[in-house]
Amino acid sequence: MPDPVVPTLGAQSFSCPYCGALSHQDWFRVFLDPYTEDFTPFSKAEANDKILSVRKNPSVENAPRIIEHLQRVASGRMFRYEHERPDYHTTELQNSSFSLCYSCGEFAVWVSDDLIFPARTYTFKPHPDMPAEIATDFNEAASIVDLSPRGAAALLRLCIQKLMPILGEKGKNIDEDIGSLVKKGLDVSIQEVLDIVRVIGNNAVHPGQIELRDDKGTAATLFDLVNMIVERMISVPKKTKELFKRLPAGARAAIEKRDKKP
């Protein structure tokens, strides 16, 4: 099962915090419409009381419609309601927004970059071939990503730093290590992956590069990158050696003899 796409402010799609589906998201701004003195918000309990009151009074105009509306209020879930009056509100509540899941039709509440409601925990698993000491940091990052995306991102950068000596590098300067790996014939796609980690870590924004922040979306990207590096730099060579060992002894000897030729 693939890792979830963590909800990110303004993203066109992500794994819905309600239904879990990777779904398209519509975004909405928030405008302020003050309550009048004789009309204030009411709770779910008050909505249920009003439903009983309307049902006891069959003469109430549009009773079925009123009851349906009150039942939606009593459910506690957010929903869209179109007012009949043609008011146009000009006071917008900045740094607040709502996303609407195309799959389940539920609204999520955002304040600035943070998903406030509903809360959801996302699970990220280390690659099976990840060295144990690095998997420990990876799992710790996964355990705190919802509470501290910045802390998780820092741990994941540490994972990259610790991987470098395993790949034959010094592990002190990621930029120098990347350059060394390139000279050794590092695959271009892996070079790009490592450079992304370096750029995120240094907050170095250059022309043509996208600034990535220490939010849940950035942390999720780093989880994927760490696993990708392990797959390409550890798992693929390991699998290649295993396949080579399956060759007949004569074939292996012939290949080794060929490779020894100047």
Side-chain angles (χ1 to χ4, degrees):
M1 182 177 179
D3 286 335
V5 178
V6 174
T8 305
L9 182 68
Q12 292 186 346
S13 63
F14 49 68
S15 298
C16 175
Y18 282 97
C19 66
L22 177 57
S23 176
H24 174 77
Q25 303 289 325
D26 289 323
W27 290 90
F28 297 86
R29 296 182 291 172
V30 180
F31 288 85
L32 301 180
D33 181 16
Y35 283 105
T36 60
E37 292 183 1
D38 57 344
F39 185 68
T40 58
F42 48 89
S43 66
K44 292 187 289 184
E46 290 173 318
N48 283 316
D49 290 341
K50 290 179 181 292
I51 291 172
L52 293 175
S53 176
V54 173
R55 283 176 173 167
K56 290 178 179 179
N57 188 354
S59 63
V60 174
E61 186 177 358
N62 294 323
R65 182 182 174 187
I66 293 173
I67 290 174
E68 180 185 3
H69 176 77
L70 290 171
Q71 286 174 333
R72 299 185 75 182
V73 174
S75 73
R77 294 190 172 187
M78 291 174 285
F79 62 95
R80 191 182 339 211
Y81 179 77
E82 303 292 340
H83 289 273
E84 294 180 357
R85 62 181 193 230
D87 293 352
Y88 184 77
H89 304 296
T90 58
T91 304
E92 182 180 354
L93 183 62
Q94 293 286 301
N95 274 335
S96 67
S97 51
F98 285 75
S99 57
L100 175 65
C101 175
Y102 181 81
S103 179
C104 67
E106 295 287 356
F107 283 97
V109 184
W110 297 75
V111 174
S112 187
D113 297 349
D114 298 322
L115 174 63
I116 302 301
F117 182 84
R120 182 174 172 86
T121 300
Y122 292 90
T123 302
F124 297 92
K125 296 182 179 180
H127 193 286
D129 289 328
M130 187 178 294
E133 66 274 19
I134 298 173
T136 298
D137 293 328
F138 187 100
N139 287 327
E140 183 178 349
S143 71
I144 67 170
V145 65
D146 287 292
L147 295 175
S148 178
R150 293 185 65 185
L155 283 167
L156 291 166
R157 293 185 192 114
L158 179 61
C159 289
I160 301 295
Q161 203 82 32
K162 288 183 174 181
L163 271 171
M164 289 302 170
I166 296 174
L167 301 179
E169 303 304 324
K170 295 178 180 179
K172 295 181 179 180
N173 185 304
I174 292 181
D175 194 45
E176 292 179 1
D177 289 342
I178 292 173
S180 175
L181 288 171
V182 171
K183 291 178 181 179
K184 295 176 182 178
L186 176 68
D187 184 86
V188 174
S189 64
I190 301 303
Q191 176 190 348
E192 292 172 350
V193 170
L194 292 171
D195 276 330
I196 290 171
V197 175
R198 176 182 60 81
V199 170
I200 294 174
N202 296 339
N203 290 322
V205 183
H206 303 291
Q209 293 181 337
I210 299 173
E211 181 180 10
L212 297 176
R213 300 160 294 178
D214 283 342
D215 53 19
K216 289 183 183 178
T218 298
T221 299
L222 288 169
F223 280 114
D224 289 340
L225 291 179
V226 173
N227 278 333
M228 188 184 300
I229 293 169
V230 172
E231 170 65 23
R232 294 293 188 91
M233 303 301 290
I234 296 178
S235 294
V236 170
K238 177 183 174 182
K239 292 174 182 176
T240 301
K241 288 183 179 180
E242 291 174 352
L243 290 173
F244 183 78
K245 289 180 180 179
R246 295 179 187 176
L247 292 175
R252 291 201 309 270
I255 292 172
E256 290 170 355
K257 182 179 180 180
R258 179 203 63 192
D259 291 343
K260 288 180 180 178
K261 291 182 179 179

